[in-house]
């Protein structure tokens, strides 16, 4: 998808030289001028890189971006990992990792991007993610702002691709590669340990607590992918879609062996667990009977960012303590 | 056809359909079960199917029925009260208040529980009552006739509360899906606690309503006419307002905002049995229950095992049916 612009070098012509003048005249006569023009043009625009984003919109960058605006927290996290802290001039109010950076201008939330502020920051690159509204992105593109949107991504491999592409976009391919290698090494070391696990456990993942229903993640979500890679069978993966409300009687039939609760803190985890334990209809579910509940930190598990690998490592270490304790 | 004959037909239809709907609601679900399985599970020591039947399907069917009945009754009362065909249980802001309470609980992240009710239901209930109460108090001081003032204040206060709800949803984008799901109503977490509360509320309201039905008939003629015919207008109005509000607030706090039931069921029933509230209230209550029971059955079967908010179903199936009824009547 990414095509590197060809940087062609032309030999320098000394036009003051009379011989070259003759040569030039000949060149015009023999139709060399168009070629010369192309060569000059490619010298001028030689450094520009042409990209195409996930919405199919082209983007040309003349230089390495110096003023980047991030429109999503996971984008900010990746940019920071690539060492671009000085280049980020704007971010959303949800960009809070590793800490809320007070010095950088906030350009709004995920949905309520302030176009005026974005314009005033004179960005040379704006990176959006799938959570940003399409109509705002299109408006920015129409206005000639350098927007690039990442749309795809569910698996760890998609995450790595996202990081590498972001590295190319921001002239940090080496750092991106290094990060991917490190994450991949971390991922593989976990997976190598998991290789000894023969049978997949059935797991049910639930989000938000129980305000309006039994929220879970369907087959299309990256959380479902994390479960798969942790050698767990997501019982809700029969349903397509991202986040959905699961039917309680189906859960009884599914008989999950473990229940993963994604929530903000230990206190809400305790409450959610107690809720499960209280439901008289759930008493025959193996996970409820044996009390196999696991707490997943919402902050760690909700973003498609490098931290997802750490989340994965922590999850597997908690579920399979026997495997991870063997080796020091 | 005489009204009496019509009422008999409707009674028969309702009885048959309600029994059928309840049986289907117990039989159908995300987990496939057969009659014999259900029957043997009911008498067996205890197994998964018995759990599903007695702790999930039965309370859910009952709750859907009771909430539908409550909303339809509340709608009937308010349509008579305001003499306005557009009135529904939520016209005084009960739903907007409840939504604000529920979304607030999502935003605050505080959790406590009381008799097994979630923070969300409790906050929704309290906010709903508080909003309607303040609407009433403000409207009482108005210069206009009290019903008009009440209606308009209710609409304005509802809009204000909705604005705050939107603001809160918007400030926490990650809870968006959850909030919207609640706002469209669902019985996904129905349990026996909720059933018992709504049941008690409905029984009490129903007995008051039947006792005062004649007075509501008089109110429809206008306050002056009603008081000259010996109706204690002010007291009767207050009682009806309290009943309609309680019914709406309890329903909303149990399962979110389920629109449309309280608006069209009274109208549809009125087309059959006429405007006499003595009958209208009974039939509207029974039909509202049946309507929501069927809607919930559809909501949980269409994309099973994923669930649909029931408000989507009530509007999607109820609206065309209602338009058909109106049209048929005119032709």
């Amino acid at each position: 998808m990414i095509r590197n612009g060809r940087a062609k070098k032309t030999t320098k012509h000394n036009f003051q030289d009379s011989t070259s003048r003759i040569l030039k005249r000949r060149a015009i006569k023999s139709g060399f001028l168009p070629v010369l023009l192309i060569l000059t043009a490619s010298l001028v625009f030689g450094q520009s890189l042409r990209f195409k984003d996930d919405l199919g919109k082209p983007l040309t960058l003349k230089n390495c971006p110096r003023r980047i605006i991030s429109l999503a927290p996971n984008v900010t996290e990746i940019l920071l990992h690539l060492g671009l802290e000085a280049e980020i001039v704007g971010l959303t109010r949800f960009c809070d990792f590793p800490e809320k950076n007070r010095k950088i201008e906030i350009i709004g939330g995920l949905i309520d991007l302030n176009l005026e502020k974005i314009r005033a920051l004179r960005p040379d690159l704006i990176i959006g993610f799938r959570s940003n509204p399409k109509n705002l992105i299109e408006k920015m593109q129409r206005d000639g702002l350098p927007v690039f949107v990442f749309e795809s991504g569910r698996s760890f491999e998609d995450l790595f691709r996202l990081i590498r592409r972001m590295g190319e976009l921001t002239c940090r391919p080496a750092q991106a590669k290094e990060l991917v290698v490190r994450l991949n090494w971390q991922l593989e070391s976990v997976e190598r340990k998991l290789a000894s696990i023969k049978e997949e456990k059935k797991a049910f993942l639930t989000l938000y607590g129980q305000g309006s229903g039994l929220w879970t993640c369907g087959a299309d979500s990256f959380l479902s992918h994390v479960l798969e890679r942790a050698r767990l069978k997501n019982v809700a993966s029969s349903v397509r879609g991202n986040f959905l409300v699961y039917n309680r009687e189906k859960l009884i039939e599914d008989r999950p062996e473990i229940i993963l609760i994604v929530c903000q803190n230990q206190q809400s985890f305790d409450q959610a667990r107690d809720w499960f334990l209280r439901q008289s209809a759930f008493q025959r579910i193996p996970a409820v009977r044996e009390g196999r509940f696991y707490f997943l930190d919402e902050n760690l598990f909700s973003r498609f960012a490098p931290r997802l690998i750490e989340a994965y490592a922590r999850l597997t270490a908690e579920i399979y303590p026997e495997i991870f304790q063997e080796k020091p | 056809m005489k009204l009496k004959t019509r009422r008999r037909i409707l009674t028969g239809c309702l009885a048959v359909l309600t029994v059928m709907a309840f049986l289907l609601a117990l039989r159908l679900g995300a987990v496939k079960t057969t009659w014999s399985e259900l029957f043997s599970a009911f008498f067996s020591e205890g197994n998964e199917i018995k759990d599903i039947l007695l702790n999930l399907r039965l309370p859910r069917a009952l709750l859907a029925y009771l909430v539908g009945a409550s909303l339809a009754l509340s709608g009937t009362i308010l349509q008579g009260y305001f003499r306005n065909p557009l009135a529904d249980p939520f016209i005084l802001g009960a739903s907007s208040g409840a939504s604000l309470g529920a979304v607030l609980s999502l935003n605050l992240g505080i959790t406590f529980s009381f008799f097994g009710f979630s923070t969300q239901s409790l906050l929704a209930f309290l906010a709903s009552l508080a909003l309607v109460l303040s609407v009433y108090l403000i409207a009482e001081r108005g210069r206009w006739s009290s019903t008009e003032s009440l209606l308009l204040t209710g609409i304005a206060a509802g809009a204000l509360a909705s604005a705050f709800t939107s603001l809160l949803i918007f400030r926490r984008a990650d809870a968006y899906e959850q909030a919207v799901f609640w706002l469209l109503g669902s019985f996904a977490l129905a349990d026996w606690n909720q059933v018992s509360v709504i049941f008690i509320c409905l029984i009490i309201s129903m007995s008051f309503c039947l006792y005062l039905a004649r007075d509501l008939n008089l109110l429809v003629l206008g306050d002056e006419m009603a008081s000259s015919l010996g109706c204690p207008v002010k007291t009767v109005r207050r009682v009806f307002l309290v009943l309609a509000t309680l019914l709406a607030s309890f329903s909303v706090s149990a399962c979110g905002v389920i629109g449309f039931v309280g608006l069209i069921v009274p109208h549809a029933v009125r087309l059959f049995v006429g405007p006499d509230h003595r009958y209208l209230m009974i039939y509207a209550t029974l039909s509202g229950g049946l309507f929501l029971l069927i809607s919930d059955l559809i909501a949980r079967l269409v994309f099973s095992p994923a669930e649909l908010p029931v408000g989507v179903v009530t509007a999607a199936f109820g609206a065309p049916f209602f338009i058909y009824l109106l049209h048929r009547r005119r032709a």
Side-chain angles (χ1 to χ4, degrees):
Chain A
M1 231 176 273
I2 294 170
R3 269 174 277 136
N4 285 321
R6 284 159 293 165
K8 287 182 180 171
K9 282 178 186 167
T10 50
T11 46
K12 245 188 178 173
H13 296 275
N14 188 349
F15 289 114
Q16 260 118 19
D17 194 336
S18 61
T19 47
S20 84
R21 213 174 288 158
I22 295 162
L23 273 174
K24 190 191 166 198
R25 220 171 289 144
R26 276 186 194 166
I28 295 165
K29 273 182 188 164
S30 55
F32 261 101
L33 187 66
V35 178
L36 205 72
L37 276 175
I38 291 169
L39 289 179
T40 327
S42 65
L43 187 72
V44 174
F45 299 107
Q47 290 303 312
S48 72
L49 297 173
R50 272 173 295 163
F51 299 96
K52 197 174 241 180
D53 77 356
D54 288 354
L55 299 178
K57 286 273 156 54
L59 175 72
T60 308
L61 294 177
K62 282 175 193 161
N63 310 95
C64 287
R66 294 260 173 73
R67 301 183 61 81
I68 304 175
I69 292 181
S70 157
L71 304 184
N74 66 326
V75 170
T76 310
E77 281 179 40
I78 296 175
L79 292 176
L80 290 175
H81 267 288
L82 300 180
L84 289 156
E85 190 161 5
E87 277 82 357
I88 303 175
V89 292
L91 38 70
T92 72
R93 63 167 172 275
F94 299 108
C95 300
D96 54 0
F97 188 82
E99 74 262 352
K100 244 191 170 126
N101 198 322
R102 297 277 172 214
K103 274 175 277 175
I104 303 176
E105 191 85 20
I106 287 173
I107 48 90
L110 291 168
I111 321 167
D112 52 325
L113 307 166
N114 189 325
L115 294 182
E116 235 172 75
K117 249 184 182 172
I118 290 177
R119 206 158 244 290
L121 287 169
R122 289 175 290 107
D124 48 16
L125 177 61
I126 301 171
I127 305 182
F129 202 59
R130 55 186 158 209
S131 34
N132 302 123
K134 297 272 179 310
N135 53 354
L136 277 180
I137 297 283
E138 276 161 19
K139 166 101 175 85
M140 283 192 269
Q141 274 160 345
R142 270 201 307 277
D143 291 352
L145 288 166
V147 192
F148 191 96
V149 183
F150 288 103
E151 263 283 300
S152 56
R154 175 177 174 272
S155 65
F156 290 142
E157 284 67 30
D158 290 336
L159 175 65
F160 296 161
R161 208 167 304 127
L162 176 68
I163 295 171
R164 275 199 299 267
R165 290 176 64 197
M166 217 175 277
E168 282 167 40
L169 200 61
T170 55
C171 295
R172 296 284 159 100
Q175 283 93 327
K177 207 175 166 195
E178 199 181 307
L179 176 62
V180 168
V181 167
R182 191 159 54 78
L183 292 174
N184 199 30
W185 180 82
Q186 213 177 339
L187 177 67
E188 278 176 354
S189 74
V190 174
E191 289 204 307
R192 222 173 296 125
K193 287 182 188 164
L194 292 186
S196 62
I197 289 159
K198 288 287 175 296
E199 62 177 323
E200 292 186 339
K201 282 204 174 99
K202 281 191 284 184
F204 178 71
L205 181 145
T206 182
L207 309 107
Y208 303 141
Q210 276 65 44
S212 56
L214 218 48
W215 284 89
T216 188
C217 56
D220 297 337
S221 65
F222 67 80
L223 281 175
S224 193
H225 177 80
V226 174
L227 294 199
E228 276 166 40
R229 297 294 277 262
R231 315 224 40 172
L232 298 171
K233 168 97 184 68
N234 176 12
V235 294
S237 64
S238 60
V239 192
R240 290 195 61 83
N242 216 338
F243 296 116
L244 52 107
V245 171
Y246 203 62
N247 187 288
R248 289 182 297 171
E249 57 187 70
K250 191 73 175 60
L251 186 67
I252 294 176
E253 192 191 45
D254 290 337
R255 316 180 112 256
E257 290 154 273
I258 61 179
I259 292 177
L260 306 164
I261 300 171
V262 182
C263 53
Q264 282 176 338
N265 50 42
Q266 189 66 37
Q267 192 205 351
S268 36
F269 167 75
D270 289 343
Q271 258 158 4
R273 187 195 52 204
D274 292 346
W275 182 85
F276 274 98
L277 291 172
R278 263 204 319 274
Q279 301 300 303
S280 44
F282 289 164
Q283 293 311 313
R284 251 171 284 274
I285 293 176
V288 175
R289 210 174 39 213
E290 291 154 24
R292 288 172 67 87
F293 294 92
Y294 295 94
F295 166 49
L296 307 189
D297 187 355
E298 189 182 282
N299 194 292
L300 205 56
F301 279 86
S302 61
R303 281 182 198 164
F304 200 59
R307 281 190 291 158
L308 201 58
I309 306 291
E310 190 201 325
Y312 168 70
R314 274 206 219 168
L315 172 69
T316 47
E318 246 191 273
I319 294 179
Y320 312 104
E322 64 286 354
I323 298 174
F324 286 87
Q325 273 162 11
E326 273 171 25
K327 292 160 201 164
Chain B
M1 219 191 301
K2 270 183 175 175
L3 277 180
K4 205 167 185 180
T5 333
R6 278 166 175 261
R7 285 203 296 268
R8 277 194 190 140
I9 293 172
L10 189 63
T11 314
C13 286
L14 279 178
V16 173
L17 285 175
T18 307
V19 171
M20 273 172 55
F22 262 108
L23 288 176
L24 280 179
L26 293 180
R27 163 81 163 73
L28 300 174
V31 174
K32 283 192 178 60
T33 45
T34 61
W35 286 121
S36 59
E37 268 177 331
L38 287 176
F39 197 73
S40 58
F42 190 77
F43 292 104
S44 69
E45 193 58 5
N47 56 26
E48 279 152 9
I49 294 178
K50 191 173 182 176
D51 285 343
I52 290 173
L53 185 67
L54 291 184
N55 286 322
L56 299 181
R57 287 188 190 167
L58 187 57
R60 182 164 181 168
L62 286 173
L63 187 67
Y65 189 86
L66 291 171
V67 166
S70 303
L71 289 176
L73 179 58
S74 175
T76 313
I77 294 172
L78 290 173
Q79 281 171 11
Y81 184 102
F82 288 117
R83 291 186 288 160
N84 187 326
L86 281 177
D88 79 344
F90 305 138
I91 201 142
L92 292 177
S95 63
S96 319
S99 310
L100 184 59
V103 175
L104 199 64
S105 86
L106 287 182
N107 263 266
L108 293 177
I110 49 165
T111 39
F112 52 86
S113 63
F114 182 75
F115 276 116
F117 291 99
S118 67
T119 325
Q120 210 169 8
S121 337
L122 288 173
L123 270 182
F125 180 70
L126 294 176
S128 162
L129 279 189
L131 190 73
V132 178
L133 186 69
S134 47
V135 164
Y136 182 75
L137 291 178
I138 293 168
E140 280 288 276
R141 312 166 115 234
R143 275 173 293 170
W144 304 339
S145 82
S146 77
T147 48
E148 239 171 73
S149 152
L150 196 59
L151 199 61
L152 293 173
T153 317
I155 289 170
L160 183 69
S162 303
F164 280 110
T165 308
S166 310
L167 178 74
L168 288 176
I169 292 178
F170 179 71
R171 294 302 293 184
R172 243 200 101 188
D174 53 332
Y176 178 78
E177 283 160 321
Q178 199 189 357
V180 169
F181 198 86
W182 194 90
L183 294 183
L184 288 171
S186 163
F187 295 104
L189 295 179
D191 62 24
W192 285 108
N193 279 341
Q194 294 175 320
V195 172
S196 47
V197 169
I198 305 276
F199 181 71
I200 293 168
C201 172
L202 184 64
I203 290 294
I204 294 173
S205 314
M206 197 68 202
S207 32
F208 269 105
C209 284
L210 291 180
Y211 184 68
L212 293 173
R214 226 179 266 270
D215 295 292
L216 190 56
N217 280 342
L218 295 179
L219 285 187
V220 174
L221 301 173
D223 284 7
E224 278 174 33
M225 181 77 102
S227 63
S228 69
L229 287 170
C231 166
V233 173
K234 205 144 195 183
T235 323
V236 171
R237 277 202 180 277
R238 244 179 225 160
V239 172
F240 272 121
L241 204 60
V242 169
L243 292 179
T245 305
L246 281 180
L247 285 167
S249 299
F250 272 114
S251 307
V252 161
S253 66
C255 54
V257 184
I258 299 172
F260 220 65
V261 182
L263 179 67
I264 65 147
V265 169
H267 282 303
V269 173
R270 201 176 285 118
L271 291 177
F272 273 112
V273 302
D276 185 345
H277 282 94
R278 283 176 299 174
Y279 301 104
L280 182 58
M281 288 204 280
I282 299 175
Y283 285 109
T285 309
L286 297 175
S287 323
L290 176 63
F291 177 63
L292 202 54
L293 178 59
I294 296 172
S295 300
D296 181 51
L297 192 59
I298 295 169
R300 64 188 166 99
L301 289 180
V302 179
F303 293 112
S304 166
E307 304 230 353
L308 210 62
V310 67
V312 175
V313 180
T314 56
F317 290 85
F321 175 67
F322 185 56
I323 291 170
Y324 160 76
L325 271 187
L326 283 175
H327 192 75
R328 201 199 52 139
R329 177 82 175 166
R330 233 177 261 151

